[in-house]
Amino acid sequence: MTTLLLSLLLLLSLSQSALPAAVRPLPAPLSVVRWWEPPPTPYAAGHRGVDLAAPVGAQLRAVAAGRVHHAGQVAGRGVLSLALPNGLRTTYEPVRPLVAEGEEVTAGQVVAVLTEGSHCPEPCLHWGLLSGEAYLNPLTLLARPTPRLLPGTDPGTDPGTVTAPFPFPAAGGP
């Protein structure tokens, strides 16, 4: 619990000027297959990132400018890790990196291609964010969308009724 609180405080302390709004790792709209579920203690079970639906072969982009920290295999999967200037590190797997360790990358640059071998039932990108050894929710890097309610379009809908254009996330969502 202490680790989670410290991680959240660290994330809140990072000013928006420390890192410009990040680029999405995949084209919009992002489809979250599994949300970030931080473990209660550093070695407990949890989901230390988010899984984003994407087809094998999808081009993955650097979410911000930085330097390639790792590009290669980890436990039989292709992994790419980018060190950002503010001390954060983003991770992408399973991938075939298109960049080499130590290489500088720019925000939005295609840095990898999604490969088979994810832990999702269908192909997905596991996208992670770390500050030191503490895992954070990578979705916090992205600009928050502006919620908009649209008028209902069903002919039987009362004109005063307003509906959301998408279902609300299940428990554990952002």
Side-chain angles (χ1 to χ4, degrees), residues 151-152 157-162:
T157 303
D158 179 343
T161 301
V162 178

Side-chain angles (χ1 to χ4, degrees), residues 71-142:
Q73 296 283 309
V74 173
R77 284 193 188 140
V79 175
L80 177 66
S81 177
L82 303 178
L84 308 181
N86 60 358
L88 296 177
R89 199 167 70 238
T90 59
T91 60
Y92 309 78
E93 68 173 278
V95 301
R96 179 175 47 85
L98 302 176
V99 292
E101 284 185 30
E103 188 176 332
E104 295 282 336
V105 298
T106 58
Q109 177 181 338
V110 175
V111 292
V113 174
L114 190 67
T115 62
E116 293 182 353
S118 74
H119 57 257
C120 301
E122 299 293 325
C124 75
L125 167 67
H126 179 81
W127 180 36
L129 176 65
L130 293 106
S131 175
E133 298 298 315
Y135 286 87
L136 305 172
N137 182 350
L139 293 174
T140 59
L141 290 176
L142 303 177

Side-chain angles (χ1 to χ4, degrees), residues 52-83:
L52 304 173
V56 169
Q59 294 184 338
L60 307 174
R61 300 186 179 280
V63 296
R67 181 181 300 272
V68 178
H69 179 75
H70 175 79
Q73 296 283 309
V74 173
R77 284 193 188 140
V79 175
L80 177 66
S81 177
L82 303 178

Side-chain angles (χ1 to χ4, degrees), residues 32 35-37 137 139 169-174:
V32 176
W35 299 96
W36 181 65
E37 298 170 22
N137 182 350
L139 293 174

